[in-house]
Amino acid sequence: MNSETSPLFLPNTKTLDVTVLVFSGASLMCVASTIDPMRAANRVSGGNLFKWRIVSLDGEPTMTTCGLPIAVSGSFDASEKGDMLLVIGGFGTSDIARTTFTANLRRAVHNYQIIGGIEAGSWLLGRAGLLSGRKATTHWEDMEEFMAEFPDADIRPDRYVIDGPVFTSGGASPTFDLMLHLIRSRYGMSVALDVASVFIYDEAHASNDAQPLVSLGRLDDVHPKLAGAIRLMESHIDTPLTVGAIAKRCGLSARSLEKIFSRAVGEGPGRYYLRLRLKVARRLITDTKSPLADIAARTGFSSAAAFTRTFRSFEGKPPSAFRPVH
């Protein structure tokens, strides 16, 4: 297993030359989480710690999922040299990965010290063979399919993973954490703290913090046991716990847990738990080709029939109605 430290994450005052390749269908927040920390680092340091250019495959602006275009300075050229190549992917990126781009990405490896796949960009790195024998991650929604697609990689549920000359990030917030880690490692803690302060960002995470199904924000401030209960639920989607078992593990009575959920969430823990499982099921229905019987089992239902009945009662339509039409 490769785990050497990239020299780009060692102390160095040299300007870092970064190419950011953005695909249409990417999240605007992923783009911002990549670029804005570099801009802020230049601002707070009063120097040029980073220089970057944004490119697309064809040199045309790329359209983000929210409908805002990203202006680019040109098209991706695998022969150009730089320090870091960041590939930001999104919806539809996995289809693009089947084109000649993967060959160009393999060529680009020799022209950059490190290549990063952000959100669906990790699929592009995988299809180019850059994750074989390396640790990697992707967005939590795609984790199981990612593991099946790249069995030669060591897939982790981490926020971001750096493994030698390759890194992968699970989404917008993990990418911000990654960029802060880069700034801190290369230019010092003072610069990193100043950058975080520019965005009033005080929730930085370690790389190996797990990606949650539910982003809790500051629920600990609402009730310290609420976050723990939700974390137990999301870690037991395929084998659901009873409300009593969750309460016991949280050091509460079932009645106390019911009160906490009713006050903070507006519904009881049992119903919330069921909705969480159905949310996972709906994503598997729309985003994968898994049979409904498999999805039922993966979300804790005893049979496809029981799953279909419950799903219809919540969604108003059977699961099959949410299958994409090809």
Side-chain angles (χ1 to χ4, degrees):
M1 181 64 65
N2 299 288
S3 58
E4 69 271 20
T5 300
S6 168
L8 295 190
F9 286 84
L10 297 176
N12 195 325
T13 58
K14 179 187 173 185
T15 298
L16 204 62
D17 186 1
V18 182
T19 298
V20 183
L21 172 57
V22 183
F23 285 84
S24 287
S27 159
L28 181 63
M29 287 189 67
C30 280
V31 177
S33 291
T34 301
I35 297 170
D36 256 3
M38 295 190 289
R39 175 197 62 79
N42 285 353
R43 173 191 162 195
V44 301
S45 69
N48 292 308
L49 304 184
F50 295 92
K51 68 173 183 177
W52 64 91
R53 64 190 299 260
I54 306 172
V55 299
S56 64
L57 273 187
D58 56 8
E60 296 297 319
T62 57
M63 190 64 68
T64 59
T65 49
C66 67
L68 291 177
I70 300 296
V72 301
S73 60
S75 58
F76 173 64
D77 184 348
S79 66
E80 291 187 351
K81 297 183 182 295
D83 296 318
M84 177 180 286
L85 172 63
L86 304 179
V87 183
I88 307 177
F91 292 113
T93 298
S94 58
D95 295 330
I96 296 171
R98 299 182 188 280
T99 69
T100 55
F101 170 72
T102 51
N104 288 332
L105 192 57
R106 284 193 293 271
R107 288 173 53 209
V109 169
H110 305 292
N111 295 321
Y112 292 90
Q113 294 188 55
I114 193 167
I115 293 181
I118 294 171
E119 202 165 89
S122 56
W123 287 80
L124 296 169
L125 270 58
R127 291 261 170 79
L130 304 183
L131 302 183
S132 181
R134 295 192 180 277
K135 298 185 288 290
T137 192
T138 193
H139 193 278
W140 65 264
E141 288 187 334
D142 301 322
M143 198 69 68
E144 290 189 20
E145 288 72 34
F146 195 67
M147 294 174 68
E149 180 82 12
F150 307 113
D152 293 336
D154 179 8
I155 308 303
R156 307 289 183 91
D158 299 353
R159 295 175 66 81
Y160 63 87
V161 175
I162 305 167
D163 196 347
V166 175
F167 71 79
T168 46
S169 174
S173 179
T175 299
F176 199 104
D177 290 328
L178 169 65
M179 296 306 290
L180 283 179
H181 173 60
L182 172 63
I183 293 166
R184 180 173 58 251
S185 301
R186 190 173 176 86
Y187 302 116
M189 178 63 78
S190 178
V191 177
L193 289 175
D194 287 345
V195 170
S197 297
V198 167
F199 301 98
I200 320 177
Y201 186 78
D202 60 359
E203 295 293 333
H205 297 269
S207 64
N208 60 354
D209 284 352
Q211 294 182 43
L213 297 180
V214 181
S215 294
L216 298 177
R218 292 192 174 276
L219 280 185
D220 278 343
D221 294 344
V222 177
H223 196 288
K225 302 290 187 179
L226 182 61
I230 293 176
R231 288 288 176 250
L232 281 171
M233 292 176 183
E234 69 176 13
S235 64
H236 291 81
I237 295 295
D238 56 343
T239 54
L241 301 171
T242 65
V243 171
I246 294 172
K248 185 175 181 180
R249 293 193 187 192
C250 292
L252 297 166
S253 67
R255 182 177 178 83
S256 295
L257 188 63
E258 291 277 356
K259 287 182 178 179
I260 291 169
F261 265 83
S262 295
R263 290 172 182 169
V265 184
E267 62 183 347
R271 186 173 179 82
Y272 178 88
Y273 197 0
L274 182 56
R275 283 199 305 106
L276 179 59
R277 291 162 53 205
L278 291 172
K279 176 184 175 182
V280 174
R282 181 167 176 171
R283 181 190 62 79
L284 292 172
I285 292 166
T286 58
D287 294 354
T288 75
K289 297 180 181 179
S290 298
L292 292 183
D294 290 350
I295 294 175
R298 289 166 64 178
T299 51
F301 290 91
S302 59
S303 67
F307 166 61
T308 298
R309 284 195 303 271
T310 305
F311 190 95
R312 184 194 290 269
S313 70
F314 273 74
E315 299 287 353
K317 297 178 183 179
S320 57
F322 289 86
R323 283 288 196 198
V325 178
H326 296 289

